[in-house]
Amino acid sequence: MDQNKIPQATAKRLPLYYRFLNNLNQQGKRRVSSKELSEAVKVDSATIRRDFSYFGALGKKGYGYNVEYLLGFFRSTLDQHEVTEVALIGAGNLGTAFLKYSFLKNNNIRITKAFDADSSKVGKDIDGVPIFHVSDLEEELENIRVVILTVPASEAEEIAEKLVNLGVNGILNFTPARITVPSHVRVHHIDLAVELQSLVYFLKHYPLEKE
Amino acid sequence: MDQNKIPQATAKRLPLYYRFLNNLNQQGKRRVSSKELSEAVKVDSATIRRDFSYFGALGKKGYGYNVEYLLGFFRSTLDQHEVTEVALIGAGNLGTAFLKYSFLKNNNIRITKAFDADSSKVGKDIDGVPIFHVSDLEEELENIRVVILTVPASEAEEIAEKLVNLGVNGILNFTPARITVPSHVRVHHIDLAVELQSLVYFLKHYPLEKE
DNA sequence: AAAAAGTCGTGATGTTTTTCACAAATTAAT
DNA sequence: ATTAATTTGTGAAAAACATCACGACTTTTT
Ligand SMILES: NC(=O)c1ccc[n+]([C@@H]2O[C@H](COP(=O)([O-])OP(=O)(O)OC[C@H]3O[C@@H](n4cnc5c(N)ncnc54)[C@H](O)[C@@H]3O)[C@@H](O)[C@H]2O)c1
Ligand SMILES: NC(=O)c1ccc[n+]([C@@H]2O[C@H](COP(=O)([O-])OP(=O)(O)OC[C@H]3O[C@@H](n4cnc5c(N)ncnc54)[C@H](O)[C@@H]3O)[C@@H](O)[C@H]2O)c1
């Protein structure tokens, strides 16, 4: 659908722009330049202008961008007018933290169901999100298309396969396992240990100049 | 230090390679090809060979790579022979999940101290990590150079400034705030809401072909 | 011993992403 | 009105990254 020509790097920044535009709007700001936005989101101003330009001419020369207009534009581009329902598998330490966090206000995303293999957790709820047994995935998942995966790494592959069979096509994978999925399924890996370790590596091997 | 010429994209993959090599080694595997590794970590085999080649000729034509040798090489490249101590600021939902997770075995990283503003948490410990009051940062932070930041977004900027003044030069920032730091400080943002939202965006706008 | 199969390292090429730099347009100041 | 200051949108260039494809070498098979 839409424009298949929006670069992936651009697409990844859209939610970021959206959030800052929301902030600006709430602060009552009417206009904003790519330079200001650049300072706020730490993305080069030329990159921001380029990003926006893929969607047409959203700004005005000499003026900048109208906050309200831009916000509205991105709201619909990001489908923020409707709630996206997602499920979470693995209500452990990390999973619980996500369940307690609301993605609704800023992202219009709601975790509506959680699943776990631990029967002592099943039947309870965390911040209003009911926890089902993972064996009930088939009956309970319904038409949810996006899943947050926070199970132990050893379970990841097996669960992922089940999810795919149930029609899931997006997985946000927090396990260290690199799961194998058919090409029509999109997996984003967030590998916290790798992030931490690579930060440490950069610090030791890429000394940054002082000022 | 070392080679300033290792591409950032390569550097980010090193911890991933390291983890899989560890797995292979524990499984008793003696050799591995870039093709096998590629299937495991989902990175093109040419990319893997290119990545490795920045460090010299680590493999042998017709044979592949010796697991133990490669593992040893990356262990020292990633400074895995010594424990890296990090601190965590904000022992809330997300912070607690991190405190309960051990980065020691696979990454040789240990969270040794946590800080929070909530005095009901101060003095306790989570899985052996003591929680101090954030006002004691100066006395307690000592020579810790890397910090995981899991405070509310509104606090991020102020805390970050304090951290920088205390000599921190690496921040893993989980808050949605894009913090401003001097150029000698490295910040890696992990923006969970953005990750989730961009996954949703990709699914709606980049339909993947079925097989 | 020779042939076949496997695999690395890398020059060359292709792709994606970022950045520069400036004409064109608008706004603000004098 | 005129001039100065802003700021966009984008062609062009640069930088970063990924992939192809093959010679060289090793291992395995026959
Ligand atoms: N917590 C962290 O800071 C952290 C850091 C890096 C990586 N991770 C990764 O994130 C994942 C989750 O970590 P965690 O700390 O929350 O672990 P955890 O053990 O606290 O939680 C895992 C949860 O999954 C449930 N579970 C186990 N098997 C299941 C199955 N087959 N189906 C459904 N649920 C099942 C368990 O009952 C548990 O509630 C792990 O893969 C871990 O490696 C976590
Ligand atoms: N939990 C999630 O799933 C999630 C998702 C996306 C983003 N985030 C971001 O991660 C951060 C942490 O989220 P959370 O859910 O753990 O929040 P939380 O409210 O549970 O935890 C924040 C902790 O920081 C402490 N704190 C407050 N002010 C402080 C200060 N000045 N110094 C030190 N500690 C202070 C609080 O006492 C609390 O313990 C937030 O910025 C949030 O936006 C969290």
Side-chain angles (χ1 to χ4, degrees):
Chain A
M1 326 154 194
D2 247 7
Q3 325 278 80
N4 263 43
K5 43 187 163 50
I6 283 139
Q8 303 228 352
T10 296
K12 285 198 180 179
R13 285 187 289 262
L14 297 183
L16 187 59
Y17 297 146
Y18 179 68
R19 190 168 60 213
F20 273 87
L21 287 171
N22 242 323
N23 291 351
L24 291 178
N25 194 45
Q26 271 156 30
Q27 286 162 29
K29 274 210 108 197
R30 315 277 285 163
R31 59 184 271 195
V32 66
S33 68
S34 60
K35 187 150 163 284
E36 281 176 277
L37 216 41
S38 168
E39 279 150 26
V41 300
K42 319 285 183 203
V43 171
D44 187 274
S45 67
T47 301
I48 292 178
R49 292 198 300 280
R50 175 77 63 194
D51 283 348
F52 288 1
S53 78
Y54 293 116
F55 298 96
L58 304 177
K60 224 192 210 174
K61 299 184 179 179
Y63 175 87
Y65 301 89
N66 178 290
V67 172
E68 206 168 347
Y69 173 76
L70 203 54
L71 185 62
F73 183 84
F74 280 122
R75 200 196 317 277
S76 62
T77 298
L78 290 170
D79 304 290
Q80 289 293 296
H81 42 82
E82 59 177 12
V83 176
T84 301
E85 301 197 343
V86 311
L88 180 143
I89 326 280
N93 293 320
L94 204 51
T96 300
F98 295 155
L99 291 175
K100 288 184 177 167
Y101 187 83
S102 175
F103 296 92
L104 195 56
K105 198 177 146 239
N106 277 314
N107 311 90
N108 225 8
I109 290 169
R110 180 161 29 197
I111 305 178
T112 52
K113 292 180 177 182
F115 297 86
D116 204 293
D118 181 348
S119 35
S120 73
K121 294 182 178 177
V122 172
K124 299 182 179 165
D125 72 278
I126 294 177
D127 274 27
V129 183
I131 304 179
F132 299 95
H133 196 277
V134 70
S135 60
D136 293 338
L137 262 176
E138 193 164 353
E139 301 91 76
E140 293 291 346
L141 198 62
E142 290 169 340
N143 53 0
I144 290 179
R145 288 289 125 90
V146 180
V147 164
I148 300 173
L149 193 60
T150 48
V151 297
S154 55
E155 310 291 320
E157 189 70 55
E158 195 187 326
I159 301 264
E161 199 185 318
K162 265 188 212 162
L163 292 173
V164 169
N165 287 337
L166 293 173
V168 166
N169 51 21
I171 297 176
L172 195 58
N173 177 26
F174 285 88
T175 80
R178 259 25 191 193
I179 59 187
T180 304
V181 294
S183 66
H184 67 280
V185 178
R186 182 157 201 129
V187 180
H188 282 201
H189 292 274
I190 302 189
D191 200 323
L192 301 174
V194 164
E195 297 287 346
L196 192 49
Q197 203 172 342
S198 79
L199 175 60
V200 170
Y201 177 80
F202 276 113
L203 292 179
K204 296 217 176 155
H205 297 81
Y206 292 69
L208 302 171
E209 74 287 359
K210 208 136 191 164
E211 290 304 85
Chain B
M1 324 155 191
D2 248 7
Q3 326 278 82
N4 262 44
K5 44 186 165 42
I6 283 139
Q8 304 228 351
T10 296
K12 286 198 180 179
R13 285 187 289 262
L14 297 183
L16 188 58
Y17 297 146
Y18 179 69
R19 189 168 61 211
F20 273 88
L21 287 171
N22 241 325
N23 291 351
L24 291 177
N25 193 46
Q26 272 155 28
Q27 286 162 30
K29 275 210 105 195
R30 316 276 286 164
R31 58 184 272 194
V32 67
S33 68
S34 61
K35 189 151 163 283
E36 281 176 277
L37 217 40
S38 168
E39 279 151 26
V41 301
K42 319 283 182 201
V43 172
D44 187 275
S45 68
T47 300
I48 292 178
R49 292 198 300 282
R50 176 77 63 194
D51 282 348
F52 288 2
S53 78
Y54 293 115
F55 298 96
L58 304 177
K60 223 191 209 174
K61 298 182 180 181
Y63 175 87
Y65 302 90
N66 179 290
V67 172
E68 206 166 345
Y69 173 75
L70 203 54
L71 186 61
F73 183 85
F74 280 122
R75 201 195 318 278
S76 61
T77 298
L78 289 171
D79 304 290
Q80 289 294 295
H81 43 83
E82 58 176 14
V83 175
T84 301
E85 300 197 344
V86 311
L88 181 143
I89 325 280
N93 293 320
L94 205 50
T96 300
F98 296 154
L99 291 175
K100 288 185 177 168
Y101 187 83
S102 174
F103 295 94
L104 196 56
K105 197 176 145 237
N106 278 314
N107 311 91
N108 224 8
I109 290 168
R110 181 161 30 198
I111 305 177
T112 52
K113 293 180 178 181
F115 295 86
D116 205 293
D118 180 347
S119 35
S120 73
K121 294 181 177 179
V122 173
K124 300 183 179 164
D125 72 279
I126 294 176
D127 273 29
V129 183
I131 303 180
F132 298 94
H133 196 277
V134 71
S135 59
D136 293 337
L137 262 176
E138 193 163 354
E139 301 92 77
E140 293 291 345
L141 198 61
E142 289 168 341
N143 52 358
I144 290 179
R145 288 288 124 91
V146 179
V147 164
I148 300 173
L149 193 60
T150 48
V151 297
S154 55
E155 310 292 319
E157 189 69 56
E158 194 187 326
I159 301 264
E161 200 186 317
K162 267 190 210 160
L163 293 173
V164 169
N165 288 335
L166 293 173
V168 165
N169 51 20
I171 297 176
L172 195 57
N173 177 25
F174 286 89
T175 80
R178 260 22 192 194
I179 59 187
T180 304
V181 294
S183 66
H184 67 281
V185 178
R186 184 159 199 127
V187 180
H188 282 203
H189 293 274
I190 302 188
D191 200 322
L192 301 173
V194 164
E195 297 287 347
L196 192 49
Q197 202 173 341
S198 80
L199 175 60
V200 170
Y201 177 80
F202 276 113
L203 292 179
K204 296 216 177 156
H205 297 80
Y206 293 69
L208 302 171
E209 74 286 1
K210 207 136 191 165
E211 290 304 84

